[in-house]
Amino acid sequence: TPTVRNYELDRALITPSAKIGVGQFGDVYVGTYTLPKLGKGKNAAGNGKNSNSDQRNADARPDVIQVAIKTCKANDDPEKTENFLAEAYIMQKFDHPHIIRLIGICSVMPIWIVMELAKLGELRAYLKTNSERLSHGTLLKYCYQLSTALSYLESKKFVHRDIAARNVLVSSPTCVKLADFGLSRWVSDQSYYHSTPTVALPIKWMSPESINFRRFTTASDVWMFGVCIWEILMLGVKPFQGVKNSDVILKLENGERLPLPPNCPPRLYSLMSQCWAYEPLKRPNFKRIKETLHEILIEDSINSSE
Ligand code: ATP
């Protein structure tokens, strides 16, 4: 079993305030975390890796940081709490500027997962509210930032399985982060589906092989990322509106794909279309996608400054 022992936080240092969201296990709160005074040796908040530099920087860092606190309703059901904490076990493995960071957990009841706060909340809502203000370059930048996070996950051989705009949070107007490593654990246990076929799968984001055979790989993450790019360029519109889940696979097998979003550079739509190659092996990998998005971003900034 994985351990997050080093991530145990002193609950007295955490102050939840307003509720900001509802997750599948319980409510999510915004709050503060008072960083413990650094003693000799280990950084009390975590890994102890950088204890020397932490001490050097101790005067520069803030005493109190804003955090997001995920709570779990089913505190007394060991199976549920284990599943709830599984997301923290996954998040602790990652260290990337565009992936929401785990700060720590309180593993005794009531169980809390404390994460870096994305101040501006969910990307879809942000895109809708700011549709008039958001430049084309900014949307491209979001796509590029997410591709760097996904390329990082690819290098770690980690499959996310639920890449969608609803799982992206906004830290600042120029910075988005990948969140929600919840589904990754569910689908890693194939038997989960057979035992609870009622679980809502994100069919409209899924690759044909994921829909047909529940096959999830980095190549199926690539397909989903193509859909996520489409949602971003569409300013938060969901894919296949008005189409029944059961009809999606028929459309895909007929060669149908999501349409060209308004103002989408042709080169970007071509990249998205490659992500939607029926054959998983024909799709580009995230490293390649990241490089291509970088080129598209630069081309766009040259064109828009002319
Ligand atoms: P679901 O599986 O239904 O998406 P979940 O249990 O994975 O739910 P999240 O989606 O992670 O829960 O959290 C629920 C909501 O809480 C999010 O949609 C978002 O509005 C808010 N939220 C979660 N984490 C953060 C964070 N780090 N910063 C800001 N808001 C957050």
Side-chain angles (χ1 to χ4, degrees):
T1 34
T3 145
V4 281
R5 210 177 301 122
N6 318 342
Y7 275 85
E8 194 68 39
L9 300 178
D10 176 357
R11 199 190 303 273
L13 301 175
I14 305 162
T15 312
S17 47
K19 179 169 148 180
I20 51 167
V22 181
Q24 55 171 321
F25 291 96
D27 296 335
V28 181
Y29 295 84
V30 63
T32 58
Y33 175 56
T34 306
L35 296 169
K37 294 270 175 291
L38 292 167
K40 287 189 208 87
K42 280 197 171 173
N43 166 5
N47 46 36
K49 243 190 326 205
N50 302 317
S51 52
N52 282 338
S53 63
D54 281 352
Q55 289 196 11
R56 239 177 284 125
N57 296 332
D59 295 334
R61 63 177 205 160
D63 294 335
V64 179
I65 56 170
Q66 281 192 296
V67 293
I69 303 154
K70 276 189 156 185
T71 65
C72 184
K73 282 177 298 214
N75 265 301
D76 45 3
D77 178 342
E79 203 185 312
K80 289 239 173 68
T81 55
E82 195 53 31
N83 283 331
F84 174 66
L85 283 173
E87 185 171 17
Y89 300 146
I90 293 169
M91 288 177 85
Q92 69 164 338
K93 297 193 191 114
F94 306 135
D95 176 16
H96 190 275
H98 296 289
I99 296 177
I100 290 287
R101 216 170 281 281
L102 175 72
I103 292 170
I105 60 167
C106 295
S107 64
V108 288
M109 291 197 288
I111 299 175
W112 290 349
I113 296 178
V114 181
M115 292 173 304
E116 162 190 9
L117 177 73
K119 284 203 181 70
L120 301 177
E122 295 173 14
L123 176 63
R124 287 193 58 242
Y126 183 82
L127 292 175
K128 284 172 189 270
T129 312
N130 299 286
S131 56
E132 305 290 312
R133 249 168 303 181
L134 285 163
S135 77
H136 204 65
T138 302
L139 300 179
L140 286 176
K141 185 180 221 158
Y142 294 164
C143 296
Y144 172 69
Q145 290 177 343
L146 294 171
S147 77
T148 66
L150 292 162
S151 176
Y152 170 82
L153 293 180
E154 174 179 77
S155 75
K156 298 218 146 209
K157 309 231 179 298
F158 180 85
V159 181
H160 187 286
R161 304 163 208 242
D162 197 13
I163 299 161
R166 66 176 168 279
N167 290 330
V168 177
L169 297 174
V170 186
S171 290
S172 80
T174 54
C175 180
V176 295
K177 302 200 183 198
L178 191 60
D180 207 332
F181 289 82
L183 194 65
S184 38
R185 64 175 179 268
W186 290 120
V187 282
S188 64
D189 177 8
Q190 289 286 331
S191 63
Y192 181 78
Y193 284 112
H194 303 300
S195 55
T196 43
T198 49
V199 69
L201 283 170
I203 297 288
K204 291 173 179 178
W205 284 259
M206 278 159 62
S207 68
E209 73 276 10
S210 300
I211 297 173
N212 286 331
F213 312 115
R214 299 285 181 264
R215 191 174 155 71
F216 293 88
T217 60
T218 296
S220 64
D221 272 1
V222 164
W223 177 292
M224 297 186 107
F225 182 54
V227 180
C228 181
I229 295 178
W230 187 89
E231 293 181 278
I232 292 173
L233 294 178
M234 295 293 291
L235 296 163
V237 174
K238 288 192 201 166
F240 299 113
Q241 288 285 345
V243 178
K244 278 192 273 169
N245 268 350
S246 54
D247 288 344
V248 171
I249 188 66
L250 303 173
K251 285 181 173 286
L252 298 179
E253 298 199 322
N254 274 330
E256 247 183 81
R257 295 295 183 267
L258 292 166
L260 175 74
N263 302 317
C264 176
R267 220 184 141 190
L268 181 55
Y269 190 63
S270 154
L271 179 68
M272 290 151 72
S273 302
Q274 287 168 40
C275 294
W276 300 327
Y278 193 87
E279 238 356 279
L281 288 172
K282 298 216 171 114
R283 297 172 204 152
N285 62 16
F286 281 117
K287 184 168 176 284
R288 182 90 199 84
I289 293 172
K290 180 178 81 176
E291 291 161 359
T292 308
L293 278 169
H294 192 249
E295 289 167 18
I296 295 171
L297 198 58
I298 287 168
E299 264 169 31
D300 182 80
S301 70
I302 293 168
N303 291 340
S304 52
S305 65
E306 268 167 4

